[in-house]
Amino acid sequence: MSDSGTGSTGTGDAPAGGPPAGNAPAGDSPVGGPPGGRAAMRKVPTKRITFTTMQALDDTLPGEKYRLLIAPQAQSLFNAVINDQALTTGDGADSGAATATATATAAASAAASTAPTASASSGTTGRSALAPADIAVHVANGTTNDNRATDVRQALISAGYASDSTVDSPPSTHIATTTLTYGPGRQADAQEVARSLGLPGSALKQGTAGGIHLLIGADWPSGTAFPGGKASAPPADTKVALTNANAQTGDKTDTCAPVGTYRTVKLPGHGAVTPTQAYSLSPDVPDSAP
């Protein structure tokens, strides 16, 4: 994948590189991978392959060379790639994180606040109706170790959780046991956070105050994953991951996947051009597709 849109990815399924209409490097595999890559790609349903550009911002100033910056939404896209998470479901539709509506979220939260729920330590594994980017975690360092809350908060934001997650003051710096406290109706949200941090179910506690509050204890002296726990990435927030990107699944055979409109390709004698212009200016370069 590249900011020019000439690369692409099918996260959670299989990588796919090069523009559908051409200019891919020659080799055994159209994705530039190891031998046999072409055969492996044939096993992936085309509706599960997502071609997408990376979000970018034009930051060129007068008198400067052409310059792009990575857009904020690109972090969610790369999180999906890094965590090997699909941007589509088994039927080729957008994954659940992208299709959850405000109405469904409100209904789920209301139901959770009134219906009886299982104990957090019972191993309940309900999925949150909220996308990770809508879950803020308020982290406090209950130890004398420096920067514990800051490090864990940043790790949560990097994993896709809300950027307005905060570092709070702890009730004490001599807390023995780490706890993740959640308000009414927020159990599923807290369980999602616990999975991302590798916290055991016994660390979750229901409180009366709203929000999700992580208090780090002496049993978690370092690192951003709980010792001995198995941290897992939160579900891919495809609504955010593909915002302002040009994306298309591989089963759309009547059109070519869109590419970026920025001048990210440099051709001898032409300078900086867009991928589409580069394709038109390179008639002797064979297309990657037959």
Side-chain angles (χ1 to χ4, degrees), residues 35-147:
R38 182 170 299 180
M41 282 295 295
R42 292 196 184 103
K43 298 178 182 179
V44 181
T46 54
K47 64 183 179 182
R48 297 302 307 280
I49 301 173
T50 300
F51 295 91
T52 181
T53 60
M54 187 190 80
Q55 301 92 332
L57 301 173
D58 186 350
D59 192 51
T60 306
L61 298 176
E64 287 189 341
K65 292 184 177 180
Y66 197 66
R67 179 173 66 175
L68 292 179
L69 296 180
I70 297 175
Q73 301 93 333
Q75 183 61 60
S76 294
L77 177 59
F78 277 102
N79 285 342
V81 175
I82 292 168
N83 296 320
D84 194 25
Q85 295 175 316
L87 296 176
T88 61
T89 61
D91 61 3
D94 288 344
S95 66
T99 58
T101 63
T103 300
T105 298
S109 297
S113 64
T114 56
T117 57
S119 167
S121 60
S122 67
T124 301
T125 57
R127 286 294 182 181
S128 172
L130 295 176
D134 296 323
I135 301 176
V137 185
H138 308 288
V139 188
N141 180 14
T143 76
T144 56
N145 297 330
D146 294 338
N147 302 319

Side-chain angles (χ1 to χ4, degrees), residues 3-290:
D3 58 13
S4 69
T6 57
S8 53
T9 184
T11 61
D13 307 308
N23 296 352
D28 172 75
S29 168
V31 299
R38 182 170 299 180
M41 282 295 295
R42 292 196 184 103
K43 298 178 182 179
V44 181
T46 54
K47 64 183 179 182
R48 297 302 307 280
I49 301 173
T50 300
F51 295 91
T52 181
T53 60
M54 187 190 80
Q55 301 92 332
L57 301 173
D58 186 350
D59 192 51
T60 306
L61 298 176
E64 287 189 341
K65 292 184 177 180
Y66 197 66
R67 179 173 66 175
L68 292 179
L69 296 180
I70 297 175
Q73 301 93 333
Q75 183 61 60
S76 294
L77 177 59
F78 277 102
N79 285 342
V81 175
I82 292 168
N83 296 320
D84 194 25
Q85 295 175 316
L87 296 176
T88 61
T89 61
D91 61 3
D94 288 344
S95 66
T99 58
T101 63
T103 300
T105 298
S109 297
S113 64
T114 56
T117 57
S119 167
S121 60
S122 67
T124 301
T125 57
R127 286 294 182 181
S128 172
L130 295 176
D134 296 323
I135 301 176
V137 185
H138 308 288
V139 188
N141 180 14
T143 76
T144 56
N145 297 330
D146 294 338
N147 302 319
R148 295 293 300 120
T150 299
D151 291 347
V152 173
R153 169 189 174 272
Q154 187 55 53
L156 286 166
I157 293 174
S158 296
Y161 286 94
S163 59
D164 59 350
S165 295
T166 62
V167 171
D168 291 352
S169 298
S172 166
T173 56
H174 300 284
I175 302 298
T177 306
T178 298
T179 56
L180 185 65
T181 306
Y182 57 92
R186 301 298 303 277
Q187 183 184 29
D189 301 339
Q191 288 172 334
E192 206 71 75
V193 174
R195 279 189 287 270
S196 297
L197 296 173
L199 289 172
S202 57
L204 275 70
K205 310 291 182 184
Q206 181 166 354
T208 55
I212 298 176
H213 300 266
L214 174 65
L215 178 58
I216 300 173
D219 57 347
W220 191 358
S222 63
T224 55
F226 190 78
K230 185 178 180 181
S232 60
D237 184 359
T238 54
K239 186 174 183 179
V240 174
L242 296 178
T243 297
N244 295 329
N246 295 317
Q248 179 175 299
T249 51
D251 58 330
K252 304 297 191 295
T253 57
D254 56 334
T255 59
C256 291
V259 296
T261 58
Y262 297 114
R263 290 174 288 154
T264 53
V265 181
K266 189 173 183 179
L267 289 181
H270 298 283
V273 295
T274 69
T276 301
Q277 291 170 333
Y279 179 76
S280 298
L281 293 168
S282 307
D284 296 331
V285 179
D287 290 348
S288 59

